[in-house]
């Protein structure tokens, strides 16, 4: 599957996710630009909110969305939440609104084959770099990046080993600020999560037409019971991450070795994770 990226310069979730987003029956607070605006004192104006989707799936690409905001002029966009807290219909409705609202937006992807070859962390960097290149190509150069989580997987590795991927041209060299739960609190990151989720879901629906038995139109490549049952019976497709322990290791015969360690969400050598 060839990588796909899209950028659009502007003119100016799951039940588990929903349940975890509220306390005592109260809905989660809407993300704002409050945190982004704290960087104005440092001379920052354009901030690239970054989030990934598909990291814990068994099949399909990992995708990274970028939504650039102008902290001097941007106004909030109503309805945007972390993509896990939105229904598919809500995400589809918001996708074009987010793209028009953003100073620039892009989604980059790394395929299952690239995940197998590089490991998930390097594949995330590859997908993010592809999106970053599209932002630059749109004539926008963000002053900094706001990245969901606690680990900066976007910046190029400081010192490559013989087994690392080569440095890509136009890799992200902007300062990266990480923030846990940024997708819940920061509007730029929530916006990035929406466009990344919508684009990856559309890709999985297209792949579903090629391999309909796996139910990718519904599970989007995640480890549902149906997905695992068909995987056990029919074996992996070219879109499965065969280096992962897809069924607790029982499909690993003849496949690539596990990447292990931090390269796999949850440290389970490729174990499934909840939809992100």
């Amino acid at each position: 599957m060839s990588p796909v990226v899209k950028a659009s310069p502007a003119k100016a979730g799951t039940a588990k996710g929903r349940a975890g987003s509220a306390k005592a029956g109260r809905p989660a607070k809407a993300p704002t630009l409050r945190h982004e605006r704290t960087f104005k004192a440092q001379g920052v104006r354009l901030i690239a909110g970054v989030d990934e989707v598909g990291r814990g799936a068994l099949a399909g690409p990992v995708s990274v969305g970028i939504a650039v905001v102008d902290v001097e002029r941007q106004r909030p966009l109503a309805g945007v939440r972390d993509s896990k807290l939105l229904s598919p219909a809500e995400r589809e409705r918001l996708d074009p609104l987010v793209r028009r609202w953003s100073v620039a937006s892009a989604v980059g992807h790394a395929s299952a084959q690239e995940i197998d070859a590089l490991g998930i962390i390097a594949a995330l960097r590859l997908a993010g770099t592809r999106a970053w290149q599209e932002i630059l190509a749109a004539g926008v150069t963000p002053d900094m990046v706001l990245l969901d989580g606690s680990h900066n997987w976007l910046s190029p590795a400081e010192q490559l080993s013989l087994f690392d991927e080569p440095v890509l041209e136009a890799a992200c060299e902007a300062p990266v600020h990480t923030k846990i739960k940024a997708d819940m609190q920061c509007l730029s990151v929530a916006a990035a999560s929406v466009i990344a989720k919508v684009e990856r879901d559309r890709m999985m629906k297209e792949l579903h037409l090629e391999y309909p038995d796996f139910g990718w139109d519904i599970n989007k490549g995640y480890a549902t019971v149906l997905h695992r049952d068909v995987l056990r019976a029919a074996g992996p497709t070219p879109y499965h991450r065969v280096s992962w322990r897809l069924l607790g290791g029982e499909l690993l015969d003849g496949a690539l070795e596990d990447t292990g360690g931090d390269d796999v969400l949850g440290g389970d050598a490729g174990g499934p994770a909840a939809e992100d």
Side-chain angles (χ1 to χ4, degrees), residues 185-236:
Q185 303 170 23
C186 303
L187 188 54
S188 64
V189 179
S193 78
V194 169
I195 62 173
K197 177 65 173 166
V198 168
E199 192 159 310
R200 185 182 184 277
D201 281 1
R202 289 173 181 170
M203 295 174 71
M204 295 308 297
K205 289 179 180 179
E206 291 179 3
L207 295 181
H208 168 76
L209 300 178
E210 190 173 349
Y211 292 94
D213 292 343
F214 289 92
W216 290 339
D217 59 329
I218 302 298
N219 62 52
K220 308 304 187 296
Y222 287 87
T224 62
V225 173
L226 170 65
H227 190 172
R228 285 178 170 273
D229 286 346
V230 177
L231 185 57
R232 187 175 291 106

Side-chain angles (χ1 to χ4, degrees), residues 14 28 30-31 47 75-76 78 95 111 122 126 130 152 160 184 213 236 249 272:
T14 63
I47 293 182
R75 294 186 176 183
D95 179 71
S111 69
L126 179 62
R130 286 169 174 160
N152 174 16
L160 295 175
M184 303 284 289
D213 292 343

